[in-house]
Amino acid sequence: MRIAIFSAKSYERTLLDELNASHQHDLVYFDTLLELGTASLAAGFPAVSVFVNDPVDGKVLSRLAEGGTKLVATRSTGFNHIDLEAAKKHGIAVVRVTNYSPNSVAEFAVGLILVLNRKIHRAYNRTREGNFELDGLMGFDLVGRTVAVIGTGKIGTIFARIMAGFGCEVIGFDVHRSSEFERIGGRYVDAEDIEKADVVSLHCPLTPETYHIVSARTLSRMKRGALLINTSRGGLIDTEAAIEALKSGQLGGMAIDVYEQEAGLFFKDLSSTVIPDDVIQRLVSFPNVIVTGHQAFFTREALGTILETTLASVSDFAAGRPLANQITI
Ligand code: NAD
């Protein structure tokens, strides 16, 4: 099947070409995002593949339908960038990658806690400048601390297991309880118990219900000086409110792999340009903030599974087989 692959990075192309040997699809790569201005490139492609910042809204889907597209395959777990109602209206099936190494994201979230708490990012820069001072680098022992997990699904539960291994008390919030989370020692609590947490880590999807789940009010109810980690979706945090909480010291530090306005910034080298986004510029100016560019998923294992699952979904679609990873509403 002809597949138009948007937001295609060089590391994906090489691997996709290798994996495609057993699928024999006709792969055409586009550097650009799929958006209204580029959707005409997909004309004549029955399958289109996108990534997390391609805005696959109603207008884009209408354009895809006109061009004969029948399948959109997102190379991600999250699908908040796709208008599922519009896809259904246009008879376009949508598939995602439900299960690719959730360890990759969970392990990255743990890494962010360690770096942020022990100020390893600052020590790295200091020693390169010949500064071996310890002033300002003090952290806290994780053992015995309380870690809150918001969203105890696949990633949240693995993250909880690792933190339990550090000797932390792990508490969780979720609209659906997971027996696995409780089996590894996690304990479900009420929303007000967030005040007990020394570290809060977000692992729920971005939905209308979870949009700005970390608001000014949530931040004011957290333990003073707690750390906030977000490897899920930027829209979960009211970033302006987080900046105010960082300025007042209510929030002790924040590490984010995702950012609400990341589209247009992330996955690009903008080091030779003036970045017009004052919010991200303010954030990166804080010594107690770490920003990474949506890389939590980026391990060899996870990328291989993402790309193989995407090609396999298209093969299933082409053969008229059931789509195991279809998103239905
Ligand atoms: P999952 O579906 O297994 O788990 C999500 C959990 O969130 C579920 O248990 C669900 O019940 C819960 N949830 C839903 N609404 C909630 C609410 N209002 N309050 C509390 N919990 C709620 O998903 P997963 O595979 O664990 O992935 C979690 C998220 O991680 C994805 O939605 C995606 O946004 C993000 N993600 C980020 C990266 C990255 O590279 N940074 C990579 C993969 C996934």
Side-chain angles (χ1 to χ4, degrees), residues 100 105 153-155 174 176 203 205 210 231-233 257 294 297:
Y100 66 88
V105 183
K154 287 184 287 296
I155 295 169
D174 202 310
H176 301 294
H203 299 287
T210 61
T231 54
S232 206
R233 283 292 178 271
D257 184 50
H294 210 135
F297 74 97

Side-chain angles (χ1 to χ4, degrees), residues 93-105:
V94 180
V95 290
R96 61 173 174 152
V97 183
T98 42
N99 206 358
Y100 66 88
S101 181
N103 303 288
S104 61
V105 183

Side-chain angles (χ1 to χ4, degrees), residues 204-226:
C204 59
L206 178 62
T207 64
E209 292 74 41
T210 61
Y211 174 72
H212 285 187
I213 195 170
V214 179
S215 60
R217 187 164 170 275
T218 322
L219 289 158
S220 71
R221 285 169 37 237
M222 283 168 60
K223 185 187 273 191
R224 187 168 176 82

Side-chain angles (χ1 to χ4, degrees), residues 110-126:
V110 176
L112 288 177
I113 294 174
L114 294 174
V115 172
L116 186 62
N117 172 30
R118 303 301 298 274
K119 283 101 176 151
I120 298 169
H121 56 303
R122 300 189 64 200
Y124 173 80
N125 284 328
R126 274 190 194 186

